[in-house]
Amino acid sequence: MQIMGYPLDIDPILLTLEVATITAFVLLLIGTPIAWWLAHMRSRARIFLEALVALPLVLPPTVLGFYLIIALNPDGSIAQFLKFFGITGQLTFNKTGLVIGSVVYSFPFTVQPIMAAFESLPTQIVDAARTMRASFLDRFFTVIVPLARQGFLVGVVLTFAHTVGEFGVVLMVGGNIEGMTRTVSIAIFDHVESLEYTEAHVLSILMVIFSLLVLMFVYGLNRRLQVKAV
């Protein structure tokens, strides 16, 4: 495929978008209850748990990838646990490994914005819904989620964008298998290493444009929702 006469390798782009979409969806399901739990925790252990959630932000990707390889080996406890649910087979160096690595590495980008949104909820509105004897699920989906929509949107967008730009973790956990685990960031590295600067330039420009649009969306969304709240 070509864009304005320049060659473009479409397979890494499609794979990256697929992995980023799956990661954002999985983390929305996993991260929401964890964010709610942390937002309402009053224990001293909260400091440790918040630090644990944020750990992927400061850990070198190679360190995280190394321990994921060890944890996901076929004879490890995680693989044995997943067998009870009928999930068998290799967990690394395939698309499954890419998703698992992305979920772990992008975890704080989902949990932190949603947790902040939960913490800023007006308690009087939530309490009013509780006094009307609405069940927790009813309160959560009809009152809490609409009020915390900013955190959900920011969390999903940042998670998706962060997953698109991953390199170290996905390289170690997924490898560099053409047509199977080669994401955009890995493809750029390969092109540079092979002195294919034109191909690397095209993919890099697309990443710059994509990142800029994501940031503009997040900042614009924040400003719009803040104006509505006034």
Side-chain angles (χ1 to χ4, degrees):
M1 182 178 179
Q2 290 189 340
I3 292 183
M4 300 179 66
Y6 292 99
L8 177 64
D9 191 359
I10 195 67
D11 289 338
I13 295 176
L14 295 178
L15 175 62
T16 300
L17 294 177
E18 180 183 358
V19 171
T21 301
I22 296 173
T23 299
F25 177 74
V26 170
L27 278 177
L28 185 63
L29 295 179
I30 297 174
T32 298
I34 294 176
W36 178 264
W37 177 54
L38 287 175
H40 294 82
M41 179 178 284
R42 297 296 178 263
S43 170
R44 293 181 180 179
R46 175 174 172 172
I47 296 177
F48 169 76
L49 293 174
E50 286 184 352
L52 191 63
V53 167
L55 195 58
L57 294 174
V58 296
L59 265 183
T62 49
V63 173
L64 192 58
F66 171 68
Y67 283 114
L68 281 174
I69 290 175
I70 294 177
L72 298 175
N73 78 83
D75 298 323
S77 57
I78 294 179
Q80 298 301 320
F81 174 75
L82 292 177
K83 287 182 179 179
F84 287 104
F85 300 94
I87 302 175
T88 59
Q90 183 76 18
L91 297 177
T92 54
F93 305 110
N94 51 30
K95 191 182 296 183
T96 302
L98 291 180
V99 172
I100 293 174
S102 299
V103 166
V104 174
Y105 194 48
S106 297
F107 190 66
F109 288 87
T110 301
V111 174
Q112 290 182 341
I114 297 177
M115 185 174 70
F118 285 155
E119 290 177 327
S120 62
L121 289 174
T123 56
Q124 62 273 21
I125 296 179
V126 179
D127 291 339
R130 185 183 295 110
T131 58
M132 296 175 68
R133 296 184 179 180
S135 66
F136 174 77
L137 290 179
D138 189 16
R139 298 196 307 269
F140 187 80
F141 287 106
T142 61
V143 178
I144 296 172
V145 170
L147 291 175
R149 65 187 183 279
Q150 181 178 2
F152 282 101
L153 288 173
V154 171
V156 169
V157 171
L158 288 181
T159 298
F160 184 89
H162 183 255
T163 303
V164 167
E166 285 180 31
F167 177 73
V169 172
V170 294
L171 179 60
M172 294 193 69
V173 180
N176 184 7
I177 306 173
E178 186 174 359
M180 291 182 58
T181 63
R182 182 176 296 171
T183 60
V184 170
S185 56
I186 297 175
I188 293 173
F189 176 80
D190 284 344
H191 288 315
V192 173
E193 195 174 40
S194 303
L195 302 181
E196 299 170 344
Y197 292 125
T198 300
E199 291 83 351
H201 177 67
V202 172
L203 286 175
S204 298
I205 283 295
L206 290 176
M207 289 291 291
V208 170
I209 295 173
F210 172 77
S211 301
L212 182 61
L213 291 175
V214 167
L215 291 174
M216 290 175 61
F217 174 80
V218 171
Y219 290 138
L221 178 65
N222 280 332
R223 180 170 297 181
R224 183 178 179 182
L225 292 177
Q226 287 173 358
V227 170
K228 285 185 177 181
V230 175

